[in-house]
């Protein structure tokens, strides 16, 4: 038996509970992992509360990422005792995920944990930090360099935003952080942001084009925010888009794209090819200041997850929530 957050939907309604689950109920897969830590992400919050159509079959164990030790493997790529990390691949949506003490998954979904990180540090990074690294890599590949101007990070207090600020600052970019929480100015500056701007200037309908300011941007918010970010990009600027905290809509015009040559680059972390995942984790080991991991995360127990899911969706959580599945 192992403990897990279990989401069920039946005639009695939609509910998430902390349950004792028999090992025999684990889904198919060639690697069984004893989980050490998971995290609570925005998508997990939607799944647990039922406020978004995340879960595709029931019952479901949420949790889009985890780190742990291989308990058993029928795949030659891994052996018992290996430490592995998983991000995405539909776990927590269509396949039981990481908010549990055990998981059984396909070997190709796993990545060896870089030696630079402890398991707890790996989940301080988690899917959010790995996604932030993919955004930075996309900006780099599309030619955005530190000497070209300011980089805007929206939703900067969130998990993706916090790691993006830290990474970009360490790589020499001048980072401007957008947030709706003025009390977090010191936190964002400690991560490397040189200026903090109020998210209100982006969150309502704006003009098709505004004054050119941003050489690049990492947007975690969507809706009017990303439309206004695009409107303020410099000539041939690049926006890496990875989130929808404000909404899935994109109420914009083509003006930034055809008059300034702006690039809107989508970043998907769920089904990203394995080679790029490995590169992203290697880059995190090299480019992320490990001292920032304590700043951007704090540990909670598996028993706290259901309560915290609503707070996360309400924007009341800073940075990353590491879930110790044994508490």
């Amino acid at each position: 038996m192992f403990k897990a957050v279990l989401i069920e939907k039946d005639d009695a309604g939609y509910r998430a509970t902390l349950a004792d689950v028999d090992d025999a109920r684990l889904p198919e897969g060639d690697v069984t992992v004893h989980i050490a830590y998971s995290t609570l992400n925005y998508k997990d919050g939607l799944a647990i509360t039922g406020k978004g159509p995340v879960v595709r079959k029931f019952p479901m164990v949420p949790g889009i990422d985890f780190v742990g030790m291989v308990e058993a493997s029928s795949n030659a790529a891994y052996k018992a005792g290996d430490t592995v990390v998983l991000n995405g691949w539909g776990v927590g949506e269509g396949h039981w995920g990481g908010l549990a003490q055990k998981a059984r998954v396909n070997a190709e979904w796993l990545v060896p944990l870089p030696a630079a990180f402890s398991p707890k540090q790996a989940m301080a990074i988690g899917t959010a930090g790995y996604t932030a690294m993919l955004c930075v890599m996309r900006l780099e590949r599309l030619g955005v360099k530190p000497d070209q101007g300011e980089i805007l990070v929206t939703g900067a207090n969130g998990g993706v935003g916090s790691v993006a600020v830290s990474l970009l600052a360490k790589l020499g970019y001048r980072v401007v952080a957008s947030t709706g929480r003025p009390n977090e100015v010191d936190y964002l500056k400690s991560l490397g942001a040189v200026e903090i701007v109020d998210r209100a200037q982006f969150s309502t309908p704006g003009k098709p084009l505004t004054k050119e300011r941003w050489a690049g941007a990492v947007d975690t918010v969507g809706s009017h925010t990303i439309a206004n970010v695009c409107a303020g990009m410099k000539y041939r600027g690049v926006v890496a888009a990875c989130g929808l905290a404000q909404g899935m809509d994109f109420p914009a015009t083509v003006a930034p794209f055809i008059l300034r040559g702006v690039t809107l680059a989508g970043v998907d972390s769920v089904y990203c090819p394995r080679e790029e995942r490995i590169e992203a984790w290697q880059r995190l080991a090299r480019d992320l200041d490990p001292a920032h991991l304590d700043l951007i995360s704090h540990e909670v127990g598996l028993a706290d997850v259901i309560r915290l899911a609503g707070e996360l969706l309400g924007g009341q959580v800073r940075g990353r929530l590491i879930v110790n599945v044994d508490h």
Side-chain angles (χ1 to χ4, degrees):
M1 302 288 287
F2 63 95
K3 290 193 178 296
V5 174
L6 195 66
I7 299 173
E8 298 174 281
K9 184 180 180 182
D10 52 29
D11 292 341
Y14 188 106
R15 62 194 179 277
T17 58
L18 183 61
D20 290 311
V21 181
D22 195 297
D23 286 27
R25 296 183 67 186
L26 284 167
E28 292 184 1
D30 49 9
V31 181
T32 302
V33 179
H34 184 86
I35 296 173
Y37 296 94
S38 184
T39 63
L40 184 63
N41 296 278
Y42 192 85
K43 186 179 284 187
D44 302 322
L46 292 173
I48 290 166
T49 61
K51 291 183 177 179
V54 171
V55 179
R56 299 198 293 271
K57 63 180 182 180
F58 299 89
M60 179 56 57
V61 174
I64 63 173
D65 53 13
F66 63 76
V67 64
M69 185 176 293
V70 173
E71 186 176 280
S73 174
S74 59
N75 189 299
Y78 296 102
K79 64 182 184 304
D82 288 344
T83 304
V84 293
V85 63
L86 184 145
N87 308 109
W89 292 114
V91 299
E93 301 174 66
H95 188 99
W96 282 19
L99 287 171
Q101 293 174 324
K102 282 191 182 183
R104 183 172 293 140
V105 297
N106 296 330
E108 59 266 28
W109 298 349
L110 299 168
V111 171
L113 179 66
F117 299 124
S118 68
K120 185 175 179 179
Q121 287 176 319
M123 286 297 100
I125 297 166
T127 289
Y130 146 70
T131 302
M133 189 73 251
L134 292 177
C135 289
V136 172
M137 289 162 57
R138 182 63 64 88
L139 292 178
E140 291 174 336
R141 287 170 181 168
L142 290 170
V144 181
K145 297 180 173 58
D147 62 2
Q148 292 176 339
E150 295 173 316
I151 308 296
L152 176 68
V153 177
T154 66
N157 272 303
V160 176
S162 294
V163 179
V165 169
S166 176
L167 286 168
L168 289 161
K170 188 176 180 185
L171 290 167
Y173 292 90
R174 181 178 173 83
V175 184
V176 178
S178 168
T179 182
R181 291 182 257 174
N183 58 314
E184 300 287 12
V185 168
D186 290 343
Y187 163 69
L188 291 168
K189 287 190 173 179
S190 71
L191 295 180
V194 297
E195 184 182 345
I196 315 300
V197 294
D198 191 336
R199 71 182 179 197
Q201 66 179 275
F202 303 103
S203 59
T204 56
K207 298 178 180 179
L209 287 173
T210 58
K211 183 179 178 181
E212 295 184 40
R213 179 169 182 184
W214 318 113
V218 173
D219 180 69
T220 69
V221 180
S223 192
H224 291 293
T225 295
I226 192 171
N228 287 317
V229 170
C230 289
M233 297 304 294
K234 285 186 170 184
Y235 185 74
R236 291 202 170 180
V238 179
V239 180
C242 66
L244 44 71
Q246 188 181 7
M248 288 187 68
D249 58 323
F250 182 43
T253 74
V254 297
F257 311 109
I258 64 174
L259 298 179
R260 292 184 183 167
V262 170
T263 296
L264 178 57
V267 175
D268 166 60
S269 62
V270 177
Y271 297 109
C272 179
R274 190 170 187 274
E275 297 75 17
E276 194 168 341
R277 291 169 181 267
I278 292 172
E279 180 185 356
W281 275 99
Q282 290 172 340
R283 286 288 307 274
L284 284 161
R286 188 185 82 193
D287 297 330
L288 182 62
D289 185 345
H292 286 172
L293 292 176
D294 289 336
L295 290 175
I296 67 177
S297 64
H298 65 277
E299 183 176 324
V300 300
L302 191 62
D304 302 316
V305 163
I306 296 171
R307 171 181 58 84
L308 289 169
E311 295 181 18
L312 179 66
L313 296 186
Q316 300 167 21
V317 174
R318 171 210 281 183
R320 305 278 297 130
L321 289 175
I322 305 170
V323 180
N324 184 331
V325 299
D326 291 324
H327 290 88

